[in-house]
Protein backbone atom coordinates (compact mmCIF):
# COMPACT_ATOMS: atom_id res chain seq x y z
CA UNK A 1 0.00 0.00 0.00
CA UNK A 2 1.59 3.24 -1.19
CA UNK A 3 0.80 5.80 1.51
CA UNK A 4 2.48 8.66 -0.33
CA UNK A 5 1.87 8.99 -4.04
CA UNK A 6 3.39 11.13 -6.73
CA UNK A 7 1.34 10.32 -9.78
CA UNK A 8 3.42 12.29 -12.28
CA UNK A 9 6.71 10.51 -12.94
CA UNK A 10 7.99 13.46 -14.95
CA UNK A 11 7.35 17.13 -15.65
CA UNK A 12 8.85 19.49 -18.24
CA UNK A 13 8.73 23.25 -17.75
CA UNK A 14 10.21 26.25 -19.53
CA UNK A 15 12.78 28.34 -17.70
CA UNK A 16 11.15 31.23 -15.88
CA UNK A 17 7.75 29.57 -15.65
CA UNK A 18 6.16 27.94 -12.63
CA UNK A 19 6.77 24.27 -11.79
CA UNK A 20 4.05 22.54 -9.80
CA UNK A 21 4.79 19.12 -8.34
CA UNK A 22 1.96 17.23 -6.72
CA UNK A 23 1.77 14.67 -3.95
CA UNK A 24 -1.14 12.77 -2.39
CA UNK A 25 -1.23 10.79 0.82
CA UNK A 26 -3.64 8.34 2.35
CA UNK A 27 -2.71 8.21 6.04
CA UNK A 28 -4.57 10.91 7.96
CA UNK A 29 -2.13 10.47 10.85
CA UNK A 30 0.66 12.17 8.87
CA UNK A 31 1.25 15.59 10.35
CA UNK A 32 4.53 16.69 8.79
CA UNK A 33 5.50 16.75 5.16
CA UNK A 34 8.80 17.30 3.40
CA UNK A 35 10.16 17.74 -0.09
CA UNK A 36 13.58 16.44 -1.09
CA UNK A 37 15.53 17.09 -4.26
CA UNK A 38 17.86 14.51 -5.78
CA UNK A 39 20.47 14.99 -8.48
CA UNK A 40 21.92 11.96 -10.28
CA UNK A 41 24.63 10.15 -8.28
CA UNK A 42 23.84 12.20 -5.20
CA UNK A 43 21.71 11.55 -2.15
CA UNK A 44 18.44 13.40 -1.62
CA UNK A 45 18.77 16.85 -0.05
CA UNK A 46 16.13 18.51 2.10
CA UNK A 47 14.28 21.33 0.36
CA UNK A 48 11.29 22.49 2.34
CA UNK A 49 8.76 21.17 4.85
CA UNK A 50 5.33 21.96 6.23
CA UNK A 51 3.49 21.07 9.39
CA UNK A 52 -0.15 20.03 9.24
CA UNK A 53 -1.13 23.08 11.29
CA UNK A 54 -0.23 25.25 8.32
CA UNK A 55 -1.51 25.36 4.77
CA UNK A 56 1.45 27.16 3.22
CA UNK A 57 5.18 27.50 3.76
CA UNK A 58 7.43 29.63 1.62
CA UNK A 59 11.21 29.70 1.23
CA UNK A 60 12.50 31.86 -1.57
CA UNK A 61 11.40 30.45 -4.91
CA UNK A 62 9.89 27.38 -3.23
CA UNK A 63 6.42 27.22 -1.72
CA UNK A 64 4.66 24.17 -0.38
CA UNK A 65 0.87 24.11 -0.09
CA UNK A 66 -1.03 21.63 2.05
CA UNK A 67 -4.70 20.74 1.64
CA UNK A 68 -5.48 18.42 4.54
CA UNK A 69 -9.08 17.77 3.59
CA UNK A 70 -7.94 16.54 0.19
CA UNK A 71 -4.80 14.87 1.60
CA UNK A 72 -2.83 16.69 -1.04
CA UNK A 73 0.27 18.82 -1.09
CA UNK A 74 2.10 20.59 -3.85
CA UNK A 75 5.47 22.20 -4.37
CA UNK A 76 5.62 25.37 -6.44
CA UNK A 77 8.89 26.61 -7.89
CA UNK A 78 8.78 30.15 -9.25
CA UNK A 79 10.60 31.06 -11.39
CA UNK A 80 11.96 27.71 -12.51
CA UNK A 81 15.64 27.54 -13.38
CA UNK A 82 17.61 24.89 -15.32
CA UNK A 83 19.48 24.06 -12.10
CA UNK A 84 16.17 22.95 -10.60
CA UNK A 85 16.18 19.95 -12.94
CA UNK A 86 16.22 16.95 -10.60
CA UNK A 87 14.02 14.28 -9.08
CA UNK A 88 11.74 15.64 -6.37
CA UNK A 89 10.51 13.35 -3.60
CA UNK A 90 7.58 14.05 -1.36
CA UNK A 91 7.78 12.51 2.12
CA UNK A 92 5.51 12.32 5.14
CA UNK A 93 5.87 11.42 8.78
CA UNK A 94 3.99 11.35 12.07
CA UNK A 95 5.76 13.99 14.09
CA UNK A 96 3.68 13.96 17.25
CA UNK A 97 2.90 10.67 18.86
CA UNK A 98 4.74 8.69 16.25
CA UNK A 99 6.69 5.65 17.36
CA UNK A 100 9.72 6.35 15.22
CA UNK A 101 11.25 9.03 13.06
CA UNK A 102 10.18 7.14 9.96
CA UNK A 103 9.82 8.98 6.67
CA UNK A 104 7.46 7.60 4.04
CA UNK A 105 8.50 8.64 0.55
CA UNK A 106 6.69 8.97 -2.74
CA UNK A 107 8.16 7.58 -5.95
CA UNK A 108 9.46 10.93 -7.12
CA UNK A 109 8.85 13.28 -10.03
CA UNK A 110 11.60 14.06 -12.51
CA UNK A 111 11.52 17.78 -13.26
CA UNK A 112 13.20 19.02 -16.42
CA UNK A 113 13.50 22.79 -16.79
CA UNK A 114 14.15 23.72 -20.40
CA UNK A 115 16.33 26.79 -21.08
CA UNK B 1 23.86 19.51 8.78
CA UNK B 2 25.90 16.34 8.41
CA UNK B 3 28.31 15.08 5.79
CA UNK B 4 27.82 11.43 4.98
CA UNK B 5 30.21 9.29 2.96
CA UNK B 6 29.14 5.98 1.51
CA UNK B 7 31.35 3.29 0.02
CA UNK B 8 31.25 1.89 -2.55
CA UNK B 9 29.36 4.32 -4.77
CA UNK B 10 28.47 1.50 -7.13
CA UNK B 11 29.16 -2.18 -7.65
CA UNK B 12 28.24 -5.06 -9.92
CA UNK B 13 28.01 -8.34 -8.05
CA UNK B 14 27.38 -11.96 -8.86
CA UNK B 15 24.21 -13.56 -7.55
CA UNK B 16 24.73 -15.55 -4.39
CA UNK B 17 27.47 -13.29 -3.10
CA UNK B 18 27.28 -10.59 -0.40
CA UNK B 19 28.19 -6.91 -0.43
CA UNK B 20 28.91 -4.71 2.57
CA UNK B 21 28.17 -1.01 2.25
CA UNK B 22 29.90 1.43 4.57
CA UNK B 23 28.51 4.70 5.89
CA UNK B 24 30.69 7.28 7.65
CA UNK B 25 29.30 10.45 9.24
CA UNK B 26 31.35 13.52 10.14
CA UNK B 27 29.66 13.89 13.54
CA UNK B 28 28.32 11.63 16.25
CA UNK B 29 24.70 10.64 15.75
CA UNK B 30 22.38 8.48 17.77
CA UNK B 31 20.42 6.88 14.96
CA UNK B 32 21.40 5.93 11.46
CA UNK B 33 18.96 4.75 8.84
CA UNK B 34 19.31 2.52 5.81
CA UNK B 35 17.01 2.96 2.81
CA UNK B 36 16.56 1.12 -0.45
CA UNK B 37 15.32 2.57 -3.72
CA UNK B 38 14.40 -0.05 -6.25
CA UNK B 39 14.11 1.05 -9.89
CA UNK B 40 11.06 3.27 -10.35
CA UNK B 41 10.11 2.94 -6.70
CA UNK B 42 10.17 5.19 -3.65
CA UNK B 43 12.83 5.22 -0.97
CA UNK B 44 11.91 2.50 1.49
CA UNK B 45 13.30 2.28 5.01
CA UNK B 46 15.12 -1.01 5.63
CA UNK B 47 16.15 -0.55 9.24
CA UNK B 48 17.15 1.87 11.97
CA UNK B 49 20.57 1.34 13.56
CA UNK B 50 21.25 2.55 17.09
CA UNK B 51 24.73 2.34 18.51
CA UNK B 52 25.03 -0.41 21.08
CA UNK B 53 21.80 -2.21 20.27
CA UNK B 54 20.28 -4.44 17.64
CA UNK B 55 18.99 -2.74 14.53
CA UNK B 56 15.23 -2.38 14.17
CA UNK B 57 13.97 -3.76 10.87
CA UNK B 58 10.91 -2.66 8.95
CA UNK B 59 8.26 -5.04 7.74
CA UNK B 60 9.57 -7.10 4.85
CA UNK B 61 13.22 -6.84 5.82
CA UNK B 62 15.08 -9.36 7.96
CA UNK B 63 18.42 -9.42 9.70
CA UNK B 64 19.62 -12.54 7.90
CA UNK B 65 19.29 -10.81 4.55
CA UNK B 66 20.40 -7.32 5.62
CA UNK B 67 22.70 -7.57 8.65
CA UNK B 68 23.69 -4.18 10.03
CA UNK B 69 26.58 -3.19 12.25
CA UNK B 70 26.83 0.00 14.31
CA UNK B 71 30.14 -0.16 16.13
CA UNK B 72 30.28 3.54 17.09
CA UNK B 73 28.40 6.82 16.79
CA UNK B 74 29.86 7.78 13.39
CA UNK B 75 29.87 4.55 11.41
CA UNK B 76 27.54 1.82 10.20
CA UNK B 77 27.55 -0.97 7.65
CA UNK B 78 24.75 -2.68 5.75
CA UNK B 79 25.38 -6.09 4.19
CA UNK B 80 23.21 -7.37 1.37
CA UNK B 81 23.50 -11.14 1.68
CA UNK B 82 23.04 -13.95 -0.81
CA UNK B 83 22.18 -11.44 -3.50
CA UNK B 84 19.73 -11.98 -6.33
CA UNK B 85 18.89 -9.69 -9.26
CA UNK B 86 15.90 -8.41 -7.25
CA UNK B 87 18.38 -6.78 -4.87
CA UNK B 88 19.54 -4.45 -7.62
CA UNK B 89 18.79 -1.06 -6.10
CA UNK B 90 20.25 2.11 -4.74
CA UNK B 91 21.03 1.77 -1.04
CA UNK B 92 21.19 4.97 1.00
CA UNK B 93 22.44 5.76 4.46
CA UNK B 94 20.73 8.58 6.36
CA UNK B 95 21.08 10.45 9.64
CA UNK B 96 19.08 13.11 11.41
CA UNK B 97 15.48 13.00 12.38
CA UNK B 98 12.41 12.76 10.21
CA UNK B 99 12.14 16.54 10.09
CA UNK B 100 15.40 17.09 8.28
CA UNK B 101 17.14 13.89 7.28
CA UNK B 102 20.55 13.93 5.58
CA UNK B 103 21.52 11.30 3.07
CA UNK B 104 24.69 9.82 1.70
CA UNK B 105 25.19 9.75 -2.05
CA UNK B 106 23.97 6.18 -2.23
CA UNK B 107 25.37 2.88 -3.44
CA UNK B 108 24.10 1.68 -6.79
CA UNK B 109 24.09 -2.10 -6.71
CA UNK B 110 23.59 -4.27 -9.78
CA UNK B 111 23.31 -8.02 -9.30
CA UNK B 112 23.96 -10.18 -12.34
Amino acid sequence: DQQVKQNSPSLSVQEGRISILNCDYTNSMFDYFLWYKKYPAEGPTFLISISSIKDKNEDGRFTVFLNKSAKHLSLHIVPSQPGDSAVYFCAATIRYGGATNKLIFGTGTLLAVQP
Amino acid sequence: SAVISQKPSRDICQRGTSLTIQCQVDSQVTMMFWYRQQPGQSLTLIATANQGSEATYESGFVIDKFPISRPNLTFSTLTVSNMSPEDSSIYLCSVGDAFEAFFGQGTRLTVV
Side-chain angles (χ1 to χ4, degrees):
Chain A
D1 176 35
Q2 189 71 24
Q3 296 187 66
V4 178
K5 302 176 184 178
Q6 294 177 257
N7 292 319
S8 297
S10 63
L11 175 68
S12 182
V13 172
Q14 286 294 119
E15 181 178 5
R17 308 293 283 268
I18 184 171
S19 295
I20 300 176
L21 297 98
N22 293 304
C23 178
D24 298 292
Y25 62 96
T26 57
N27 189 341
S28 58
M29 296 294 291
F30 289 144
D31 57 10
Y32 199 77
F33 305 89
L34 309 91
W35 285 94
Y36 281 81
K37 180 169 72 173
K38 184 181 185 299
Y39 293 117
E42 295 183 13
T45 56
F46 171 75
L47 191 58
I48 192 169
S49 62
I50 187 167
S51 166
S52 61
I53 63 173
K54 296 184 176 182
D55 55 17
K56 175 183 174 181
N57 188 27
E58 191 172 352
D59 184 2
R61 296 186 297 113
F62 303 91
T63 303
V64 56
F65 295 91
L66 176 63
N67 182 335
K68 283 191 297 182
S69 61
K71 294 190 179 68
H72 176 84
L73 63 155
S74 60
L75 174 68
H76 293 209
I77 306 173
V78 182
S80 300
Q81 300 173 353
D84 296 328
S85 298
V87 177
Y88 289 79
F89 290 98
C90 170
T93 189
I94 302 172
R95 182 170 188 173
Y96 299 105
T100 68
N101 287 324
K102 191 190 311 186
L103 281 171
I104 308 298
F105 284 87
T107 52
T109 297
L110 174 61
L111 173 65
V113 180
Q114 310 296 333
Chain B
S1 65
V3 177
I4 304 169
S5 300
Q6 265 186 252
K7 291 181 184 179
S9 58
R10 58 176 60 228
D11 207 341
I12 300 173
C13 299
Q14 296 290 324
R15 67 178 68 199
T17 63
S18 298
L19 176 72
T20 295
I21 302 167
Q22 299 180 5
C23 179
Q24 179 75 52
V25 189
D26 68 342
S27 58
Q28 294 184 338
V29 294
T30 304
M31 291 192 289
M32 297 178 75
F33 306 89
W34 287 97
Y35 286 83
R36 178 177 76 180
Q37 185 187 11
Q38 294 178 301
Q41 303 296 315
S42 60
L43 282 75
T44 302
L45 182 64
I46 297 172
T48 302
N50 289 331
Q51 195 270 332
S53 63
E54 291 276 332
T56 303
Y57 289 82
E58 297 299 311
S59 176
F61 298 96
V62 295
I63 187 171
D64 290 345
K65 176 67 175 177
F66 297 102
I68 288 171
S69 78
R70 185 77 204 274
N72 57 54
L73 290 173
T74 64
F75 187 79
S76 178
T77 67
L78 170 76
T79 299
V80 186
S81 303
N82 188 26
M83 288 184 284
S84 67
E86 291 71 35
D87 295 319
S88 297
S89 299
I90 297 174
Y91 292 86
L92 295 133
C93 169
S94 174
V95 302
D97 58 30
F99 321 127
E100 192 174 3
F102 301 96
F103 289 85
Q105 81 275 24
T107 296
R108 182 179 291 275
L109 170 63
T110 302
V111 184
V112 297

PDB file of all heavy atoms in Angstrom, chain A residues 19-41:
ATOM      1  N   SER A  19       6.826  25.735 -11.854  1.00  0.00           N
ATOM      2  CA  SER A  19       6.768  24.272 -11.790  1.00  0.00           C
ATOM      3  C   SER A  19       5.867  23.904 -10.621  1.00  0.00           C
ATOM      4  O   SER A  19       6.022  24.449  -9.525  1.00  0.00           O
ATOM      5  CB  SER A  19       8.152  23.669 -11.555  1.00  0.00           C
ATOM      6  OG  SER A  19       9.026  23.919 -12.634  1.00  0.00           O
ATOM      7  N   ILE A  20       4.942  23.012 -10.857  1.00  0.00           N
ATOM      8  CA  ILE A  20       4.048  22.537  -9.796  1.00  0.00           C
ATOM      9  C   ILE A  20       4.164  21.021  -9.707  1.00  0.00           C
ATOM     10  O   ILE A  20       3.834  20.308 -10.651  1.00  0.00           O
ATOM     11  CB  ILE A  20       2.593  22.949 -10.057  1.00  0.00           C
ATOM     12  CG1 ILE A  20       2.476  24.473 -10.129  1.00  0.00           C
ATOM     13  CG2 ILE A  20       1.685  22.396  -8.948  1.00  0.00           C
ATOM     14  CD1 ILE A  20       1.090  24.978 -10.473  1.00  0.00           C
ATOM     15  N   LEU A  21       4.658  20.564  -8.579  1.00  0.00           N
ATOM     16  CA  LEU A  21       4.790  19.122  -8.345  1.00  0.00           C
ATOM     17  C   LEU A  21       3.767  18.710  -7.293  1.00  0.00           C
ATOM     18  O   LEU A  21       3.637  19.360  -6.265  1.00  0.00           O
ATOM     19  CB  LEU A  21       6.205  18.772  -7.883  1.00  0.00           C
ATOM     20  CG  LEU A  21       7.305  19.085  -8.907  1.00  0.00           C
ATOM     21  CD1 LEU A  21       7.968  20.404  -8.605  1.00  0.00           C
ATOM     22  CD2 LEU A  21       8.335  17.966  -8.937  1.00  0.00           C
ATOM     23  N   ASN A  22       3.074  17.636  -7.567  1.00  0.00           N
ATOM     24  CA  ASN A  22       1.961  17.225  -6.719  1.00  0.00           C
ATOM     25  C   ASN A  22       2.241  15.943  -5.943  1.00  0.00           C
ATOM     26  O   ASN A  22       3.037  15.094  -6.390  1.00  0.00           O
ATOM     27  CB  ASN A  22       0.708  17.029  -7.568  1.00  0.00           C
ATOM     28  CG  ASN A  22       0.208  18.328  -8.151  1.00  0.00           C
ATOM     29  OD1 ASN A  22      -0.057  19.277  -7.430  1.00  0.00           O
ATOM     30  ND2 ASN A  22       0.083  18.370  -9.470  1.00  0.00           N
ATOM     31  N   CYS A  23       1.572  15.819  -4.817  1.00  0.00           N
ATOM     32  CA  CYS A  23       1.766  14.669  -3.947  1.00  0.00           C
ATOM     33  C   CYS A  23       0.454  14.401  -3.201  1.00  0.00           C
ATOM     34  O   CYS A  23      -0.171  15.346  -2.712  1.00  0.00           O
ATOM     35  CB  CYS A  23       2.894  14.967  -2.962  1.00  0.00           C
ATOM     36  SG  CYS A  23       3.237  13.679  -1.756  1.00  0.00           S
ATOM     37  N   ASP A  24       0.053  13.161  -3.139  1.00  0.00           N
ATOM     38  CA  ASP A  24      -1.139  12.774  -2.393  1.00  0.00           C
ATOM     39  C   ASP A  24      -0.765  11.753  -1.331  1.00  0.00           C
ATOM     40  O   ASP A  24       0.168  10.964  -1.523  1.00  0.00           O
ATOM     41  CB  ASP A  24      -2.189  12.167  -3.329  1.00  0.00           C
ATOM     42  CG  ASP A  24      -2.660  13.148  -4.375  1.00  0.00           C
ATOM     43  OD1 ASP A  24      -3.331  14.120  -3.985  1.00  0.00           O
ATOM     44  OD2 ASP A  24      -2.344  12.956  -5.567  1.00  0.00           O
ATOM     45  N   TYR A  25      -1.497  11.763  -0.227  1.00  0.00           N
ATOM     46  CA  TYR A  25      -1.230  10.785   0.822  1.00  0.00           C
ATOM     47  C   TYR A  25      -2.537  10.189   1.313  1.00  0.00           C
ATOM     48  O   TYR A  25      -3.612  10.758   1.123  1.00  0.00           O
ATOM     49  CB  TYR A  25      -0.424  11.408   1.966  1.00  0.00           C
ATOM     50  CG  TYR A  25      -1.107  12.554   2.682  1.00  0.00           C
ATOM     51  CD1 TYR A  25      -1.830  12.351   3.854  1.00  0.00           C
ATOM     52  CD2 TYR A  25      -1.013  13.856   2.191  1.00  0.00           C
ATOM     53  CE1 TYR A  25      -2.437  13.394   4.510  1.00  0.00           C
ATOM     54  CE2 TYR A  25      -1.616  14.904   2.845  1.00  0.00           C
ATOM     55  CZ  TYR A  25      -2.325  14.677   4.001  1.00  0.00           C
ATOM     56  OH  TYR A  25      -2.937  15.717   4.654  1.00  0.00           O
ATOM     57  N   THR A  26      -2.425   9.030   1.920  1.00  0.00           N
ATOM     58  CA  THR A  26      -3.637   8.343   2.355  1.00  0.00           C
ATOM     59  C   THR A  26      -3.775   8.263   3.871  1.00  0.00           C
ATOM     60  O   THR A  26      -4.880   8.117   4.377  1.00  0.00           O
ATOM     61  CB  THR A  26      -3.667   6.907   1.790  1.00  0.00           C
ATOM     62  OG1 THR A  26      -2.478   6.209   2.225  1.00  0.00           O
ATOM     63  CG2 THR A  26      -3.690   6.917   0.265  1.00  0.00           C
ATOM     64  N   ASN A  27      -2.675   8.385   4.582  1.00  0.00           N
ATOM     65  CA  ASN A  27      -2.709   8.212   6.035  1.00  0.00           C
ATOM     66  C   ASN A  27      -3.010   9.546   6.719  1.00  0.00           C
ATOM     67  O   ASN A  27      -2.199  10.467   6.700  1.00  0.00           O
ATOM     68  CB  ASN A  27      -1.358   7.672   6.521  1.00  0.00           C
ATOM     69  CG  ASN A  27      -1.379   7.252   7.975  1.00  0.00           C
ATOM     70  OD1 ASN A  27      -2.244   7.649   8.743  1.00  0.00           O
ATOM     71  ND2 ASN A  27      -0.414   6.446   8.365  1.00  0.00           N
ATOM     72  N   SER A  28      -4.167   9.653   7.328  1.00  0.00           N
ATOM     73  CA  SER A  28      -4.574  10.909   7.963  1.00  0.00           C
ATOM     74  C   SER A  28      -3.773  11.202   9.234  1.00  0.00           C
ATOM     75  O   SER A  28      -3.868  12.296   9.787  1.00  0.00           O
ATOM     76  CB  SER A  28      -6.063  10.863   8.294  1.00  0.00           C
ATOM     77  OG  SER A  28      -6.356   9.763   9.133  1.00  0.00           O
ATOM     78  N   MET A  29      -2.967  10.244   9.677  1.00  0.00           N
ATOM     79  CA  MET A  29      -2.125  10.474  10.852  1.00  0.00           C
ATOM     80  C   MET A  29      -0.879  11.292  10.512  1.00  0.00           C
ATOM     81  O   MET A  29      -0.236  11.837  11.414  1.00  0.00           O
ATOM     82  CB  MET A  29      -1.691   9.137  11.461  1.00  0.00           C
ATOM     83  CG  MET A  29      -2.834   8.295  12.005  1.00  0.00           C
ATOM     84  SD  MET A  29      -3.606   9.080  13.425  1.00  0.00           S
ATOM     85  CE  MET A  29      -2.308   8.924  14.634  1.00  0.00           C
ATOM     86  N   PHE A  30      -0.517  11.375   9.257  1.00  0.00           N
ATOM     87  CA  PHE A  30       0.657  12.171   8.873  1.00  0.00           C
ATOM     88  C   PHE A  30       0.424  13.624   9.280  1.00  0.00           C
ATOM     89  O   PHE A  30      -0.630  14.197   8.996  1.00  0.00           O
ATOM     90  CB  PHE A  30       0.909  12.101   7.376  1.00  0.00           C
ATOM     91  CG  PHE A  30       1.418  10.768   6.896  1.00  0.00           C
ATOM     92  CD1 PHE A  30       1.018  10.280   5.655  1.00  0.00           C
ATOM     93  CD2 PHE A  30       2.301  10.027   7.642  1.00  0.00           C
ATOM     94  CE1 PHE A  30       1.479   9.057   5.191  1.00  0.00           C
ATOM     95  CE2 PHE A  30       2.771   8.804   7.185  1.00  0.00           C
ATOM     96  CZ  PHE A  30       2.355   8.322   5.958  1.00  0.00           C
ATOM     97  N   ASP A  31       1.417  14.211   9.931  1.00  0.00           N
ATOM     98  CA  ASP A  31       1.252  15.593  10.352  1.00  0.00           C
ATOM     99  C   ASP A  31       2.454  16.470   9.985  1.00  0.00           C
ATOM    100  O   ASP A  31       2.550  17.625  10.402  1.00  0.00           O
ATOM    101  CB  ASP A  31       0.982  15.684  11.854  1.00  0.00           C
ATOM    102  CG  ASP A  31       2.075  15.025  12.686  1.00  0.00           C
ATOM    103  OD1 ASP A  31       3.138  14.666  12.124  1.00  0.00           O
ATOM    104  OD2 ASP A  31       1.871  14.867  13.896  1.00  0.00           O
ATOM    105  N   TYR A  32       3.362  15.899   9.207  1.00  0.00           N
ATOM    106  CA  TYR A  32       4.527  16.687   8.794  1.00  0.00           C
ATOM    107  C   TYR A  32       4.967  16.169   7.439  1.00  0.00           C
ATOM    108  O   TYR A  32       5.065  14.962   7.232  1.00  0.00           O
ATOM    109  CB  TYR A  32       5.656  16.534   9.822  1.00  0.00           C
ATOM    110  CG  TYR A  32       6.707  17.605   9.755  1.00  0.00           C
ATOM    111  CD1 TYR A  32       6.474  18.874  10.280  1.00  0.00           C
ATOM    112  CD2 TYR A  32       7.944  17.360   9.171  1.00  0.00           C
ATOM    113  CE1 TYR A  32       7.432  19.860  10.232  1.00  0.00           C
ATOM    114  CE2 TYR A  32       8.906  18.337   9.122  1.00  0.00           C
ATOM    115  CZ  TYR A  32       8.664  19.586   9.651  1.00  0.00           C
ATOM    116  OH  TYR A  32       9.613  20.565   9.599  1.00  0.00           O
ATOM    117  N   PHE A  33       5.226  17.116   6.535  1.00  0.00           N
ATOM    118  CA  PHE A  33       5.500  16.748   5.157  1.00  0.00           C
ATOM    119  C   PHE A  33       6.761  17.472   4.672  1.00  0.00           C
ATOM    120  O   PHE A  33       7.018  18.616   5.045  1.00  0.00           O
ATOM    121  CB  PHE A  33       4.306  17.123   4.265  1.00  0.00           C
ATOM    122  CG  PHE A  33       3.023  16.527   4.743  1.00  0.00           C
ATOM    123  CD1 PHE A  33       2.232  17.208   5.668  1.00  0.00           C
ATOM    124  CD2 PHE A  33       2.605  15.285   4.300  1.00  0.00           C
ATOM    125  CE1 PHE A  33       1.050  16.658   6.136  1.00  0.00           C
ATOM    126  CE2 PHE A  33       1.421  14.724   4.764  1.00  0.00           C
ATOM    127  CZ  PHE A  33       0.654  15.403   5.681  1.00  0.00           C
ATOM    128  N   LEU A  34       7.516  16.774   3.855  1.00  0.00           N
ATOM    129  CA  LEU A  34       8.795  17.302   3.404  1.00  0.00           C
ATOM    130  C   LEU A  34       8.956  17.074   1.907  1.00  0.00           C
ATOM    131  O   LEU A  34       8.393  16.139   1.344  1.00  0.00           O
ATOM    132  CB  LEU A  34       9.957  16.605   4.126  1.00  0.00           C
ATOM    133  CG  LEU A  34       9.903  16.536   5.651  1.00  0.00           C
ATOM    134  CD1 LEU A  34       9.208  15.259   6.128  1.00  0.00           C
ATOM    135  CD2 LEU A  34      11.309  16.579   6.229  1.00  0.00           C
ATOM    136  N   TRP A  35       9.746  17.928   1.306  1.00  0.00           N
ATOM    137  CA  TRP A  35      10.165  17.738  -0.086  1.00  0.00           C
ATOM    138  C   TRP A  35      11.685  17.625  -0.119  1.00  0.00           C
ATOM    139  O   TRP A  35      12.399  18.400   0.518  1.00  0.00           O
ATOM    140  CB  TRP A  35       9.724  18.894  -0.968  1.00  0.00           C
ATOM    141  CG  TRP A  35       8.262  18.875  -1.297  1.00  0.00           C
ATOM    142  CD1 TRP A  35       7.267  19.524  -0.629  1.00  0.00           C
ATOM    143  CD2 TRP A  35       7.636  18.190  -2.385  1.00  0.00           C
ATOM    144  NE1 TRP A  35       6.055  19.262  -1.226  1.00  0.00           N
ATOM    145  CE2 TRP A  35       6.261  18.455  -2.310  1.00  0.00           C
ATOM    146  CE3 TRP A  35       8.111  17.372  -3.417  1.00  0.00           C
ATOM    147  CZ2 TRP A  35       5.335  17.941  -3.218  1.00  0.00           C
ATOM    148  CZ3 TRP A  35       7.201  16.868  -4.331  1.00  0.00           C
ATOM    149  CH2 TRP A  35       5.833  17.146  -4.227  1.00  0.00           C
ATOM    150  N   TYR A  36      12.160  16.640  -0.893  1.00  0.00           N
ATOM    151  CA  TYR A  36      13.582  16.441  -1.089  1.00  0.00           C
ATOM    152  C   TYR A  36      13.877  16.528  -2.579  1.00  0.00           C
ATOM    153  O   TYR A  36      13.064  16.138  -3.418  1.00  0.00           O
ATOM    154  CB  TYR A  36      14.025  15.063  -0.566  1.00  0.00           C
ATOM    155  CG  TYR A  36      14.197  15.008   0.923  1.00  0.00           C
ATOM    156  CD1 TYR A  36      13.098  14.844   1.755  1.00  0.00           C
ATOM    157  CD2 TYR A  36      15.448  15.133   1.497  1.00  0.00           C
ATOM    158  CE1 TYR A  36      13.252  14.810   3.128  1.00  0.00           C
ATOM    159  CE2 TYR A  36      15.615  15.092   2.873  1.00  0.00           C
ATOM    160  CZ  TYR A  36      14.509  14.936   3.670  1.00  0.00           C
ATOM    161  OH  TYR A  36      14.672  14.899   5.030  1.00  0.00           O
ATOM    162  N   LYS A  37      15.076  17.005  -2.884  1.00  0.00           N
ATOM    163  CA  LYS A  37      15.535  17.086  -4.258  1.00  0.00           C
ATOM    164  C   LYS A  37      16.724  16.153  -4.424  1.00  0.00           C
ATOM    165  O   LYS A  37      17.585  16.066  -3.532  1.00  0.00           O
ATOM    166  CB  LYS A  37      15.947  18.533  -4.577  1.00  0.00           C
ATOM    167  CG  LYS A  37      16.451  18.743  -5.984  1.00  0.00           C
ATOM    168  CD  LYS A  37      16.570  20.228  -6.306  1.00  0.00           C
ATOM    169  CE  LYS A  37      17.695  20.899  -5.601  1.00  0.00           C
ATOM    170  NZ  LYS A  37      17.876  22.296  -6.083  1.00  0.00           N
ATOM    171  N   LYS A  38      16.766  15.459  -5.563  1.00  0.00           N
ATOM    172  CA  LYS A  38      17.863  14.509  -5.779  1.00  0.00           C
ATOM    173  C   LYS A  38      18.428  14.676  -7.175  1.00  0.00           C
ATOM    174  O   LYS A  38      17.717  14.513  -8.169  1.00  0.00           O
ATOM    175  CB  LYS A  38      17.370  13.070  -5.579  1.00  0.00           C
ATOM    176  CG  LYS A  38      18.490  12.042  -5.694  1.00  0.00           C
ATOM    177  CD  LYS A  38      17.960  10.636  -5.517  1.00  0.00           C
ATOM    178  CE  LYS A  38      19.097   9.611  -5.509  1.00  0.00           C
ATOM    179  NZ  LYS A  38      19.876   9.602  -6.759  1.00  0.00           N
ATOM    180  N   TYR A  39      19.738  14.988  -7.219  1.00  0.00           N
ATOM    181  CA  TYR A  39      20.465  14.994  -8.478  1.00  0.00           C
ATOM    182  C   TYR A  39      21.047  13.605  -8.719  1.00  0.00           C
ATOM    183  O   TYR A  39      21.261  12.845  -7.769  1.00  0.00           O
ATOM    184  CB  TYR A  39      21.598  16.015  -8.442  1.00  0.00           C
ATOM    185  CG  TYR A  39      21.154  17.455  -8.376  1.00  0.00           C
ATOM    186  CD1 TYR A  39      21.471  18.260  -7.284  1.00  0.00           C
ATOM    187  CD2 TYR A  39      20.422  18.030  -9.408  1.00  0.00           C
ATOM    188  CE1 TYR A  39      21.076  19.593  -7.224  1.00  0.00           C
ATOM    189  CE2 TYR A  39      20.012  19.353  -9.355  1.00  0.00           C
ATOM    190  CZ  TYR A  39      20.351  20.129  -8.262  1.00  0.00           C
ATOM    191  OH  TYR A  39      19.952  21.435  -8.202  1.00  0.00           O
ATOM    192  N   PRO A  40      21.322  13.259  -9.977  1.00  0.00           N
ATOM    193  CA  PRO A  40      21.920  11.957 -10.277  1.00  0.00           C
ATOM    194  C   PRO A  40      23.213  11.733  -9.500  1.00  0.00           C
ATOM    195  O   PRO A  40      24.005  12.663  -9.341  1.00  0.00           O
ATOM    196  CB  PRO A  40      22.173  12.031 -11.789  1.00  0.00           C
ATOM    197  CG  PRO A  40      21.192  13.016 -12.295  1.00  0.00           C
ATOM    198  CD  PRO A  40      21.043  14.030 -11.203  1.00  0.00           C
ATOM    199  N   ALA A  41      23.422  10.543  -9.001  1.00  0.00           N
ATOM    200  CA  ALA A  41      24.632  10.147  -8.282  1.00  0.00           C
ATOM    201  C   ALA A  41      24.821  10.901  -6.971  1.00  0.00           C
ATOM    202  O   ALA A  41      25.930  10.916  -6.412  1.00  0.00           O
ATOM    203  CB  ALA A  41      25.871  10.288  -9.164  1.00  0.00           C
TER     204      ALA A  41
END
